[in-house]
Amino acid sequence: MAGRYEVALTRCREALDIFEDLNDPTGLAGTWDSIGGALHKLKRYDEAIDAYRTAVAGYRKVDDRYLQADTLRHMADSQQDAGEDPEPALREAMALLIAMGHPDAEDLKRRLADT
């Protein structure tokens, strides 16, 4: 958040090693999401998308549907900025939120209508 994205990437890579040693899949997924965020800010969208995909897969393993949806929204932002179609990621996120009865699903419906 301080704009020091290269430093953030270094710290996140260090955190990946720690979470792997701890066998903490949620920590790993969250760190991959943070890596995606830093890469997005650096306009390295393809790398960010890959990091977000890794995070989503991690959240699926632990069945955290809200964080899957949240990360899919982040991925859609990178896809859009990369000139790719964000609709599949947004639709998947929306489906997860609807299944949970989460109010954020309405925001995604509006965003999809604007896409």
Side-chain angles (χ1 to χ4, degrees):
M1 293 184 169
R4 298 172 42 206
Y5 305 115
E6 292 293 346
V7 172
L9 288 173
T10 299
R11 298 295 178 255
C12 284
R13 288 186 181 107
E14 292 168 356
L16 287 176
D17 290 338
I18 293 167
F19 287 125
E20 284 179 17
D21 288 345
L22 294 172
N23 194 28
D24 182 344
T26 303
L28 283 167
T31 303
W32 278 110
D33 182 58
S34 295
I35 289 170
L39 290 166
H40 180 93
K41 293 292 188 178
L42 291 167
K43 300 183 186 317
R44 292 165 53 183
Y45 303 122
D46 291 339
E47 292 173 82
I49 293 164
D50 287 342
Y52 289 135
R53 282 192 179 116
T54 302
V56 169
Y59 287 132
R60 278 191 189 117
K61 285 181 183 177
V62 297
D63 196 32
D64 191 322
R65 293 178 295 155
Y66 178 78
L67 289 177
Q68 282 179 59
D70 191 48
T71 302
L72 285 162
R73 286 187 281 191
H74 299 161
M75 185 168 67
D77 292 338
S78 289
Q79 289 171 325
Q80 188 166 355
D81 288 349
E84 296 179 18
D85 183 9
E87 188 174 334
L90 291 172
R91 287 201 179 280
E92 185 178 349
M94 186 176 67
L96 288 163
L97 293 172
I98 288 171
M100 294 181 336
H102 199 284
D104 285 357
E106 291 302 316
D107 291 335
L108 286 180
K109 285 180 186 177
R110 285 189 291 277
R111 183 170 172 190
L112 276 164
D114 293 340
T115 301

